[in-house]
């Protein structure tokens, strides 16, 4: 039985990846941060009683800022594969807490790579680094590929560029099986509600059932390459399975604006988005990324991976799930009143 360690297992990608690996027969270990509230909602359906013989999911307390703990965990678990997904991943928030973002996103990657090297598993453990399309920032070419120069436009993106190059450096300097997946925006019903896509689908469905009146957004003209997170974790796994480590763009090669996402989401519900969406400059970034669109030809050729769910179907998946939540929320409110 292969062992995998996932940082960020409680997030959108981590939960889908844990599902995938368990289905493939892995023993899955995840690092979670200690919090005063339960923060495992996305994986609670996977986490069985640890005393049952069929349980192959294990959670460990840890933090990407704690090198000693990370080293101890990797030494004790001896994972065959490490998927490094954990991060302070909100781009707009990274402008407010740049030092913390740099520490967790950038140096957090350093700590894990050093731990792999220090505990002597460098030739065994395969490492996946969750890189981001935000690294392209003020894009130098359209569409973006693995050889497109980076031009980061946020503290988050700058930290990701550091982590990307460090992964390449440890691969070349120490022979680690270390790869980067440059994932363009990928969404799902498990996306955190502070991210614009989920913010839109949650608001649209709450407006539909009478729980909300308005939705406030920033730049409606920003264009992104949006895919389905559940498919993108399949690409992560495929990257790690290759005999030779490498770096891959994972994307749909389509781009749509935030305005189009609003039109599609509200349209699914028979609503005119322009009656409910208003601009709020508070949500603008100090430096904006106007356009992202990725070319995943390399992933298709080498990994035999390509997206199946496209933009309209993705929005449909998210709206349908969030409409269920909104109806439950409304029923609960009606009972209380």
């Amino acid at each position: 039985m292969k062992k995998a360690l996932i940082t960020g297992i409680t997030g959108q990608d981590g939960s889908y990846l844990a599902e995938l690996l368990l289905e493939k027969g892995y023993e899955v270990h995840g690092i979670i941060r200690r919090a005063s509230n339960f923060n495992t909602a996305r994986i609670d359906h996977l986490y069985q009683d640890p005393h049952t013989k069929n349980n192959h999911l294990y959670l460990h307390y840890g933090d990407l800022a704690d090198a000693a703990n990370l080293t101890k965990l990797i030494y004790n678990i001896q994972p065959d594969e490490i998927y490094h997904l954990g991060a302070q991943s909100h781009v707009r928030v990274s402008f407010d807490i740049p030092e913390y973002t740099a520490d967790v996103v950038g140096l957090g990657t350093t700590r894990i790579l050093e731990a792999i090297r220090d505990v002597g598993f460098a030739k065994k453990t395969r490492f996946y680094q969750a890189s981001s399309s935000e690294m392209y920032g003020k894009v130098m070419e359209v569409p973006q590929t693995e050889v497109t120069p980076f031009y980061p436009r946020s503290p988050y993106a700058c930290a990701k560029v550091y982590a990307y190059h460090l992964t390449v450096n440890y691969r070349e300097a120490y022979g680690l099986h270390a790869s980067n997946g440059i994932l363009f925006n990928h969404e799902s019903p498990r996306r955190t509600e502070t991210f614009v896509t989920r913010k839109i689908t949650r608001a649209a469905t709450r407006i539909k059932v009478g729980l909300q009146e308005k939705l406030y957004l920033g730049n409606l003209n920003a264009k992104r390459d949006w895919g389905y997170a559940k498919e993108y974790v399949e690409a992560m796994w495929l990257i790690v399975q290759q005999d030779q480590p490498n770096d891959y763009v994972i994307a749909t090669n389509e781009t749509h604006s935030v305005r189009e996402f609003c039109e599609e989401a509200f349209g699914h519900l028979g609503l005119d988005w322009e009656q409910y969406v208003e601009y709020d400059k508070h949500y603008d970034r100090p430096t904006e990324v106007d356009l992202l669109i990725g070319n995943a030809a390399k992933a298709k050729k080498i990994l035999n991976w390509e997206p199946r769910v496209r933009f309209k179907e993705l929005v449909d998946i998210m709206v349908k799930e969030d409409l269920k939540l909104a109806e439950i929320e409304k029923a609960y409110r009606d009972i209380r009143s």
Side-chain angles (χ1 to χ4, degrees):
M1 181 182 292
K2 282 187 177 181
K3 294 181 183 179
L5 175 62
I6 304 173
T7 70
I9 193 171
T10 58
Q12 169 189 253
D13 293 4
S15 65
Y16 281 124
L17 180 61
E19 284 180 348
L20 177 68
L21 296 179
L22 288 169
E23 289 171 1
K24 292 183 178 295
Y26 279 65
E27 178 178 299
V28 177
H29 296 258
I31 297 177
I32 61 172
R33 286 180 296 171
R34 175 71 179 91
S36 57
N37 297 317
F38 291 113
N39 57 0
T40 59
R42 293 185 182 92
I43 57 172
D44 283 344
H45 65 291
L46 300 174
Y47 195 63
Q48 303 176 25
D49 184 339
H51 299 293
T52 62
K53 63 180 180 181
N54 293 323
N55 176 53
H56 300 305
L57 175 62
Y58 302 89
L59 302 181
H60 309 268
Y61 286 119
D63 195 297
L64 293 173
D66 187 348
N69 178 255
L70 291 172
T71 301
K72 182 176 70 175
L73 284 173
I74 291 173
Y75 179 82
N76 290 336
I77 297 168
Q78 299 187 31
D80 299 284
E81 301 169 5
I82 295 177
Y83 296 86
H84 179 34
L85 314 182
Q88 189 301 98
S89 59
H90 199 286
V91 177
R92 178 62 188 84
V93 172
S94 76
F95 285 98
D96 300 323
I97 48 173
E99 182 180 344
Y100 174 78
T101 301
D103 185 28
V104 172
V105 176
L107 294 181
T109 305
T110 307
R111 295 177 185 115
I112 294 179
L113 288 167
E114 272 294 284
I116 296 171
R117 193 169 70 91
D118 285 348
V119 298
F121 303 132
K123 299 301 181 182
K124 172 191 174 185
T125 302
R126 297 186 174 197
F127 175 79
Y128 171 86
Q129 165 61 19
S131 290
S132 169
S133 60
E134 286 286 333
M135 299 187 302
Y136 295 117
K138 190 175 181 179
V139 298
M140 306 299 288
E141 65 178 5
V142 178
Q144 294 86 58
T145 71
E146 291 82 2
V147 297
T148 301
F150 299 138
Y151 195 142
R153 300 270 282 173
S154 68
Y156 167 78
C158 290
K160 280 290 186 181
V161 169
Y162 168 86
Y164 171 92
H165 284 300
L166 195 73
T167 299
V168 174
N169 181 254
Y170 271 64
R171 178 170 76 214
E172 296 176 350
Y174 305 115
L176 269 64
H177 193 294
S179 301
N180 284 287
I182 308 173
L183 271 60
F184 280 64
N185 293 64
H186 46 290
E187 316 299 321
S188 77
R190 298 184 189 177
R191 182 57 120 170
T192 304
E193 294 178 28
T194 55
F195 287 80
V196 68
T197 53
R198 187 79 195 289
K199 184 177 179 181
I200 291 169
T201 58
R202 280 291 281 149
T205 52
R206 295 184 85 250
I207 289 170
K208 178 67 176 180
V209 301
L211 293 174
Q212 188 170 327
E213 294 181 356
K214 293 288 183 180
L215 168 62
Y216 297 93
L217 296 173
N219 182 9
L220 294 174
N221 297 317
K223 293 184 176 181
R224 295 292 184 269
D225 184 326
W226 278 303
Y228 186 28
K230 190 172 183 178
E231 292 183 346
Y232 280 40
V233 301
E234 296 172 8
M236 296 178 189
W237 180 77
L238 288 169
I239 289 170
V240 174
Q241 306 317 304
Q242 302 307 300
D243 291 336
Q244 298 299 321
N246 211 323
D247 309 312
Y248 299 88
V249 163
I250 304 299
T252 70
N253 200 26
E254 293 181 16
T255 189
H256 299 273
S257 67
V258 175
R259 177 179 281 102
E260 288 177 80
F261 202 102
C262 287
E263 291 173 353
E264 194 69 29
F266 280 84
H268 273 289
L269 301 166
L271 300 174
D272 179 0
W273 72 276
E274 291 184 295
Q275 294 184 20
Y276 304 100
V277 177
E278 294 187 8
Y279 168 73
D280 186 340
K281 66 178 182 180
H282 171 75
Y283 296 109
D284 286 346
R285 303 176 186 179
T287 46
E288 183 59 80
V289 174
D290 298 316
L291 168 67
L292 292 174
I293 178 171
N295 182 347
K298 180 178 176 181
K300 181 178 181 180
K301 179 180 179 181
I302 299 177
L303 307 178
N304 195 29
W305 179 93
E306 59 181 329
R308 300 179 298 276
V309 173
R310 295 293 181 170
F311 178 71
K312 289 181 179 294
E313 185 180 355
L314 171 64
V315 179
D316 181 59
I317 290 170
M318 295 179 67
V319 168
K320 284 179 177 176
E321 289 300 311
D322 278 338
L323 184 58
K324 294 176 186 176
L325 289 180
E327 289 171 343
I328 292 171
E329 187 180 356
K330 184 177 187 302
Y332 180 71
R333 191 192 68 170
D334 291 345
I335 292 171
R336 287 179 60 89
S337 60

